[in-house]
Amino acid sequence: QVQLVESGGGLVQAGDSLRLSCKVSGRTFSGYALGWFRQAPGKDREFVAGINWSGGIILYDDSVKGRFTISRDNAENTVYLQMNSLKPEDTAIYFCALGRSALARPSHEWDYWGQGTQVTVSS
């Protein structure tokens, strides 16, 4: 059974930085992609960033491009999301996901999910 566990969320001020981590455990298909999504209150879950197995294919949503960086350590089965220059509109629950394509934006195209970690950015 695959498990994804996020950590690193918190309450910060606008302009601050946070680093989220997501640890993957259990057996799954090889060469999996990892991604980050977020969901604000009253809104749908939205794609933030995705990275393929090798790290050679990365996709960001336009809203975070230039501010967020996704990376992964396959030896540690962990994916990271470095978030800089945070804005109040980045406030959401952040979920990591495991799937087959780093370029898949719809949430239903991802196979496994973490429980989420809250990120709150005050103005």
Side-chain angles (χ1 to χ4, degrees):
Q1 183 172 347
V2 178
Q3 282 193 314
L4 289 78
V5 180
E6 302 96 336
S7 60
L11 171 62
V12 297
Q13 293 187 330
D16 285 352
S17 298
L18 273 177
R19 188 192 195 206
L20 305 183
S21 301
C22 174
K23 178 81 170 180
V24 180
S25 62
R27 295 190 65 180
T28 183
F29 48 86
S30 61
Y32 56 84
L34 290 167
W36 288 97
F37 285 72
R38 65 187 180 186
Q39 187 166 18
K43 294 190 176 182
D44 292 336
R45 191 170 298 188
E46 63 177 11
F47 176 86
V48 174
I51 185 169
N52 75 331
W53 174 263
S54 69
I57 297 174
I58 291 175
L59 177 65
Y60 295 103
D61 185 77
D62 286 348
S63 64
V64 305
K65 202 172 294 183
R67 299 188 298 122
F68 291 10
T69 302
I70 188 171
S71 61
R72 65 188 292 169
D73 183 339
N74 290 335
E76 296 293 328
N77 297 317
T78 300
V79 62
Y80 304 98
L81 187 68
Q82 177 66 43
M83 305 186 294
N84 299 330
S85 303
L86 282 162
K87 305 175 181 180
E89 50 264 43
D90 294 318
T91 295
I93 300 174
Y94 283 71
F95 299 88
C96 69
L98 185 152
R100 299 184 184 274
S101 172
L103 306 180
R105 298 183 68 95
S107 59
H108 69 261
E109 294 188 16
W110 294 77
D111 298 280
Y112 299 98
W113 293 86
Q115 82 289 347
T117 185
Q118 177 71 47
V119 172
T120 303
V121 184
S122 63
S123 57

